[in-house]
Amino acid sequence: MFLDTISSPSDLKGLGRAELRALADEIRTFIVEAVARGGGHLGSNLGAVELTLAVHRVFDSPRDPILWDTGHQAYVHKILTGRKDGFETLRQADGLSGYPSRQESEHDWVENSHASTILSYAHGLASAFDERGEDRRVVAIVGDGAMTGGMAYEALNNLGHSGRRVLIILNDNGRSYAPTVSRLSENLTMLRLSPSWVSTRRRIEGWTRELPGVGGLALSSWQGVKAAFRQMLEPPTFFESLGVRYTGPIDGHDIGKLEHALRNAAEYDGPIVVHVRTQKGRGYAPAEMDVEKCLHDISSFDPETGQPNGGGALTYTQVFSDTMVTLTDEHSDVLAITAAMPGSTGLLPVQERNPGRVIDVGIAEQHAVTAAAGMAMGGLRPVVALYSTFFSRAFDQANLDVGLHGQNVTFALDRAGITGDDGASHHGVLDIALCLRIPGMTVFAPSSAGELERMLIDAVALPGPAVVRFPKGAARQTAAGAVGAGLRSRRIRDGADVCILGVGKLVEAAEQAAEELESVGVAAAVWDVRVIKPLDVEMLRAAAAAPLVVTVEDGVRVGGAGSTISDAIADLQETRLSPPVLTLGTPDGYIPQAKPARIHAELGLDGHGIAASIRKALGR
C-alpha cells in the first residue's frame, strides 16, 4: 500500500500520476473506515483528497502555512503529515482532534476554527511575513460554504486593498452543510432574467418534482447544478473587483491540472483565488447520495451500507423539530431561520411540511439575528435555530438588535453545554452567561423532552425575546404530569439539609446526587429551575430557608445561572442572612474532546461528583 509509505509531505514528491491515483483511492478507503468506527466528518474529506495531495506536493508545509476553513475538511492533511495512526482515536478523549490542532502538529496553524475566519488569519500571517522580510507563501483553503459568511468578504476586501501575497483555494463542492446559500454567483442579471432561461428552468424543476420516489432529491440536485453553473460564469468579476486575481475553475480531482494551476498561482505577487471544483463524498456511494447525513458530521456507521449503527432514541433536536412543525402548522406568523444547518438543527421536516417557512441565510449568524429582529418588527414570530457555540458569533446582534428593541425573537440553541467529540470550539458553555446579560431576555432550560416542547411554545408566545437551550443527544423522558408551565420552577423532592437547584440537563444529575446523599443520611431538596431569567421567587424563598444552596449547570460557572441565583437569594428583602451558595459549573478554560459523560465526571458535574461536593461543603 502506498499509504503506509507516507509519513510526511516530502514522501509525496517522487510519486507518479498512477501512484497518486492509487494513493487517493487508499486514502478514501481509510477515511471511510476511520469515520465508520467512531463518527466524524465524511463527505467534505472524501471530496478534498486530490486537492490536498496537490497542495502538499506544490507547497512546503509548515514553512508555507496551509490554513483550512472550515477545519473539518483537513483529515487528508492530517494523514499526509504523519498522523495516520492517530485515526484509531479520532475525536476520542486524549486522541486525534477532528479539526486542525496546534498541539498535534507543526503543520497545523489554526485551532478548531468556526467557519469564514481563515482569510483573516491568512491576511494576518502574510502581513507578519512581509513585515519580517520572510519569503513564505500563505495558502488558505476555503470550503463548505465558508464564503457565505460576511467575515470572509471583509478579509477579501482587505487582502485586495493590501496586496498581500495569499493564495486562496476556493474548494467549490456546491454545498456547505446544506445547499450553498450565496448570491456571489448571481450577478449575471441578463442570464437570470432571460425569459428562455427562466422558462427552461421552471420546466426542469417541474419535471424533477414529479419523479416518483426521488423528486425531492432530484430537485435538490438540480438546485446544486444551477448554483454550479452560475459560479462557473461569474466569480472573476466579483473577485477582481476587490483587487484579488481569479483563475479557474479547475477540476479538483485531476492532480495534474491542480498542480499546474497552483504552481502558476504561486508565482503571482499578490492575492489570488484558484477556483477548484470538487465532489463532496466522492468515491463512496452512500456519501454521494445522502446529501444530509453522510456529507457532514455523522455517528458511527456500517461502511458497507452507510447506515448508522444503533440509535433510535428520541433526541432533543427531534423534539424541537416536531414542535416547530406543529407551531408552523398552527400559526402562520411563526417561521424559522437557520445559518446553513437546516438538517442538523431539525428544520428540514418543517421546510417539507410548510415550504417557505424556513429561511437559510448561509453561514451568517449575525445577519440571521438582525433579520429576525426585522421580521419581528414586521409582525412575524421568528425562531432562530443555532448551535449554542455559534450563538456567540451573534451576541452583539442579539443584545442590541433584538434585546434593545424588545423584539419577539426566540433563540433555539441546540448542542448547549458539553457536547463532546468536537472539542473546545464546539462546547456550548457560554450561552447562559451571554443571554443573562441581555435585558428583557427570558432564558428557558428544559430538562426533558416534554419540557422542551412546552417551553418552545411558551417562548414563541412571549412579547419579548427568549432563548430555549437544550443539549445534544437523547432526550430525557419524564412521567406524565411532570412538565411545568409558564415561568415557574418545579420542586422535584423535599429535604431539609441542602437545596439543590438543577439547570437543564443537569437536573437528572442533581436527582442522582440527592439519592446518593440520602444513603448517607443527608436530606436534599431538588428543584428544576426551568427558567433562569426571570427566576421564580417561590423557588428562591425555599432555597433561602435551607442551610446550604447548591446550583448545578452545564455552562460556565462564573457569571452563569448559579451566580445569578446567588445574587437573587441575597437580594430577597425577607432574607436577613443568606445561606452559603455552592456554585457548580464548567470551569474558566477550554475543555478538550471526550464523551460528555466522561467530561461531566471529571468536572464533578455527575451525580457522584455533585454529592461529593455537597458532603465536603457540609463537613461530612
Side-chain angles (χ1 to χ4, degrees):
M1 290 180 62
F2 290 107
L3 186 54
D4 292 336
T5 68
I6 306 298
S7 59
S8 73
S10 61
D11 296 328
L12 299 172
K13 306 294 185 181
L15 298 181
R17 292 287 177 257
E19 293 169 319
L20 288 170
R21 286 193 294 270
L23 176 60
D25 291 340
E26 291 178 17
I27 289 173
R28 285 195 168 90
T29 299
F30 179 85
I31 289 174
V32 169
E33 292 174 350
V35 177
R37 284 193 299 270
H41 292 88
L42 182 61
S44 53
N45 289 289
L46 294 177
V49 176
E50 290 85 1
L51 171 59
T52 311
L53 287 169
V55 165
H56 275 293
R57 278 169 58 85
V58 172
F59 298 98
D60 182 20
S61 176
R63 175 175 173 76
D64 295 329
I66 298 174
L67 313 177
W68 298 88
D69 187 347
T70 55
H72 62 239
Q73 61 176 329
Y75 286 13
V76 186
H77 166 78
K78 285 173 174 274
I79 293 169
L80 300 179
T81 52
R83 286 170 278 176
K84 179 174 73 72
D85 293 343
F87 276 77
E88 291 288 340
T89 62
L90 178 64
R91 306 203 311 170
Q92 297 177 25
D94 304 317
L96 192 72
S97 171
Y99 296 86
S101 170
R102 290 173 64 91
Q103 294 180 340
E104 284 181 5
S105 172
E106 62 179 350
H107 295 278
D108 291 0
W109 284 78
V110 176
E111 296 290 338
N112 307 351
S113 62
H114 287 182
S116 309
T117 62
I118 214 66
L119 296 184
S120 297
Y121 281 113
H123 180 250
L125 272 172
S127 299
F129 294 156
D130 283 354
E131 290 297 323
R132 295 170 60 179
E134 298 181 13
D135 183 19
R136 303 168 71 174
R137 194 53 144 155
V138 179
V139 181
I141 297 105
V142 181
D144 270 17
M147 286 299 296
T148 64
M151 189 172 173
Y153 297 112
E154 296 172 19
L156 274 174
N157 182 52
N158 279 274
L159 279 169
H161 177 72
S162 69
R164 297 299 186 190
R165 203 160 171 256
V166 173
L167 193 155
I168 302 163
I169 300 173
L170 177 57
N171 180 14
D172 173 13
N173 53 35
R175 305 188 68 81
S176 53
Y177 303 102
T180 301
V181 177
S182 175
R183 304 301 287 187
L184 166 62
S185 60
E186 297 184 10
N187 295 326
L188 281 185
T189 304
M190 295 303 294
L191 173 61
R192 289 194 296 113
L193 300 182
S194 164
S196 60
W197 163 247
V198 172
S199 176
T200 301
R201 183 188 66 194
R202 288 176 176 170
R203 285 200 303 271
I204 294 174
E205 289 176 353
W207 296 336
T208 54
R209 280 195 183 95
E210 295 172 3
L211 288 175
V214 296
L217 179 60
L219 181 60
S220 177
S221 299
W222 165 240
Q223 299 290 353
V225 170
K226 286 197 300 178
F229 179 62
R230 290 192 302 263
Q231 289 189 5
M232 178 181 69
L233 295 175
E234 302 168 33
T237 302
F238 172 80
F239 287 110
E240 297 197 1
S241 69
L242 293 175
V244 180
R245 189 173 181 180
Y246 171 91
T247 183
I250 310 296
D251 182 353
H253 302 295
D254 187 322
I255 297 178
K257 290 180 179 179
L258 284 169
E259 288 188 29
H260 180 73
L262 293 176
R263 292 187 194 282
N264 287 341
E267 299 299 318
Y268 182 66
D269 189 23
I272 183 170
V273 168
V274 178
H275 184 176
V276 174
R277 287 276 171 71
T278 60
Q279 178 188 12
K280 205 168 184 181
R282 186 178 179 90
Y284 181 57
E288 292 178 350
M289 295 299 296
D290 190 338
V291 297
E292 189 54 45
K293 295 180 180 177
C294 279
L295 287 187
H296 192 52
D297 187 8
I298 57 175
S299 301
S300 64
F301 62 93
D302 181 346
E304 295 296 325
T305 65
Q307 294 301 308
N309 296 326
L314 180 68
T315 66
Y316 282 101
T317 303
Q318 183 63 56
V319 175
F320 167 72
S321 177
D322 293 344
T323 308
M324 283 301 299
V325 168
T326 300
L327 282 169
T328 53
D329 278 349
E330 297 177 353
H331 304 281
S332 61
D333 57 350
V334 174
L335 76 163
I337 305 174
T338 176
M341 302 184 76
S344 301
T345 56
L347 291 177
L348 286 181
V350 182
Q351 180 64 61
E352 293 168 1
R353 177 70 168 265
N354 295 302
R357 305 287 284 284
V358 175
I359 299 175
D360 186 351
V361 299
I363 303 175
E365 290 85 359
Q366 293 175 318
H367 166 65
V369 173
T370 302
M375 293 174 191
M377 290 175 181
L380 299 178
R381 290 188 284 172
V383 177
V384 180
L386 304 172
Y387 280 9
S388 169
T389 183
F390 298 134
F391 173 76
S392 60
R393 310 187 81 177
F395 171 72
D396 181 71
Q397 288 70 28
N399 180 34
L400 296 180
D401 298 342
V402 173
L404 179 63
H405 295 92
Q407 293 303 306
N408 176 13
V409 175
T410 299
F411 296 92
L413 302 186
D414 200 338
R415 272 70 165 177
I418 297 296
T419 55
D421 300 338
D422 284 327
S425 68
H426 280 61
H427 294 311
V429 296
L430 295 178
D431 62 86
I432 293 177
L434 291 173
C435 291
L436 288 174
R437 304 285 77 80
I438 300 176
M441 177 75 80
T442 300
V443 183
F444 292 92
S447 59
S448 67
E451 290 278 5
L452 172 55
E453 179 182 4
R454 178 70 259 167
M455 290 180 180
L456 186 60
I457 293 170
D458 289 347
V460 169
L462 289 173
V467 58
V468 183
R469 71 182 308 263
F470 48 95
K472 177 182 180 180
R476 188 186 187 201
Q477 301 296 313
T478 53
V483 176
L487 302 181
R488 303 294 299 276
S489 60
R490 180 167 61 95
R491 188 198 301 264
I492 297 173
R493 62 186 291 165
D494 293 320
D497 296 324
V498 61
C499 181
I500 308 175
L501 307 181
V503 176
K505 177 179 180 177
L506 293 193
V507 168
E508 183 176 9
E511 293 182 67
Q512 294 168 353
E515 293 171 1
E516 182 174 327
L517 290 169
E518 185 177 35
S519 68
V520 293
V522 176
V526 177
W527 287 73
D528 181 350
V529 174
R530 298 193 71 248
V531 183
I532 308 170
K533 183 181 181 179
L535 289 164
D536 183 6
V537 176
E538 178 184 348
M539 177 191 72
L540 295 175
R541 287 172 176 161
L548 172 68
V549 178
V550 179
T551 65
V552 186
E553 61 191 295
D554 195 13
V556 291
R557 185 182 64 82
V558 178
S563 299
T564 300
I565 291 170
S566 179
D567 290 345
I569 291 174
D571 289 344
L572 285 175
Q573 293 182 356
E574 60 263 42
T575 304
R576 294 183 178 180
L577 184 63
S578 298
V581 179
L582 175 62
T583 303
L584 302 180
T586 59
D588 182 17
Y590 297 106
I591 301 169
Q593 66 196 33
K595 295 301 181 185
R598 171 172 170 164
I599 295 175
H600 283 141
E602 292 176 346
L603 298 178
L605 295 176
D606 61 346
H608 178 71
I610 295 168
S613 295
I614 292 173
R615 292 179 64 180
K616 181 179 179 181
L618 293 174
R620 301 190 187 184

